[in-house]
Amino acid sequence: MLDEILVGDVLHRARLGGADFAELYVERWRRRALRVLSGEVKEATSGIEYGAGLRLFYGTEVVYAYTNDLSPERLLELTETLVKLKGSAGQVDTQGQGGLDFRKAVAQGLHTPAIPFTARDKRYRLERVREAEAGAQVSPQIKQVQSNLMEWEQEVLVANSDGKWAEDRRVRTRLYVTAIAQDESGMQTGVVGPGLSVGLELFDRYSPAEIGRKAGMQALTNLRAKPAPAGSMPVVIGNGFGGVIFHEALGHLLETTSVAKKASVLSDKLGEKVASEVVTYIDDGTTPHGWGSSEFDDEGLPTERTVLIENGVLKSYMVDRLGGMLTGYRPTGSGRRQDYTFAPTSRMRNTYIAPGSTPREKLFEGIEYGLYAADMGGGQVRPGSGEYNFAVKEGYIIRNGRIEEPVRGAMLVGKGPESIKRIVAVSDDLEMGPGMCGSLSGSLPVEVGQPHLLISEIVVGGQA
């Protein structure tokens, strides 16, 4: 995207100006969005965006600026502005000769889509979206359906004053369907939205009609459900997006963004037992075609599979460059950012609880009265402590070991570090679910996942 000589010149001038380390991040996006509401096209857009961000380190002090003008004049002006801001505060590289001998690393195509971004026309996309809408019409009580097809292709270049040069290409596609069911008792919603690092072959893996049908059935189930009970009880959390609780209430506590500031209750606990021994927790940026996968992170490091907790013992944190400098931990390829307008921080990629050995049906045996949270919705978490409350999107009562009537309005309330100690059994049916995670470096695609698992006791906020 940029000439090697220009990139080298920018980084060299930053070092001559006193920066201890300089990093240039360049990207180009192509995006498409198609939104259909009750059969009517509400949005059909496409566009190209590009820009660059320059990050300079002066010890552990960092300055960052960005531009969407990639001309040599503007990039060099951006460099001079940042250098003047710090006034040669670092170690001036007076011997630097410029013309860095870059060590180039280019993505090997591990997540290359089978159907290129440019394949298929608008009509094809609209037909798939309408198939989803038709699939959602499972009952006359389905009153409204909205379908969003999102596609993007992102090309990334990261180069730094250590001579690193990494290029990556990321293609992601997601179909997100929301169905609303209504009767005289009220209105309920069903949401299904698979997404992967693939092209339009997403529809070969997930039939649009089936995506719509699931959203419609979930809305209908919730419409017929009774108010959820309240109190402490055993809870079986469903696989896939059920992992969002531990993403929010545990995963963020393991990012050096909070660990380095001692703002996490899990700071300085490497080697300690922090979870039930049936819990192994992993963040994997290499999952083939995972929604949160990439070959390099946004600091140019290869992504990796990072075991965070193994059999209940804390083994690693998620570490970016600055986090590594502040804590002494090895960077784990976890530096991520929404786009060039954000500096990277340590972030999750595809994070999940590893499969256990308990058959799914065994999780329910012996539960006299409890809750089956088949699918989870959104929630809130207090940073640092992991205190959370999350809505159950689809729930059922467990009575005498059997899944019985559906309930609605349930909330799960607790603390992530405590809840993960109360996991008493983990099934073998791991599934992943895509989502968007918001934090210091913006909104990012991530996967959350887990098998079905049993928590011995958790507070359920309900209405009955």
Side-chain angles (χ1 to χ4, degrees), residues 207-226:
S207 156
E210 181 62 12
I211 295 169
R213 188 192 70 80
K214 288 181 177 179
M217 289 303 299
Q218 188 176 79
L220 208 59
T221 297
N222 286 329
L223 190 67
R224 296 168 178 171
K226 298 177 180 177

Side-chain angles (χ1 to χ4, degrees), residues 241-255:
F241 201 70
V244 69
I245 291 180
F246 298 107
H247 168 96
E248 297 289 355
L250 179 69
H252 282 300
L253 304 183
L254 299 175
E255 296 167 337

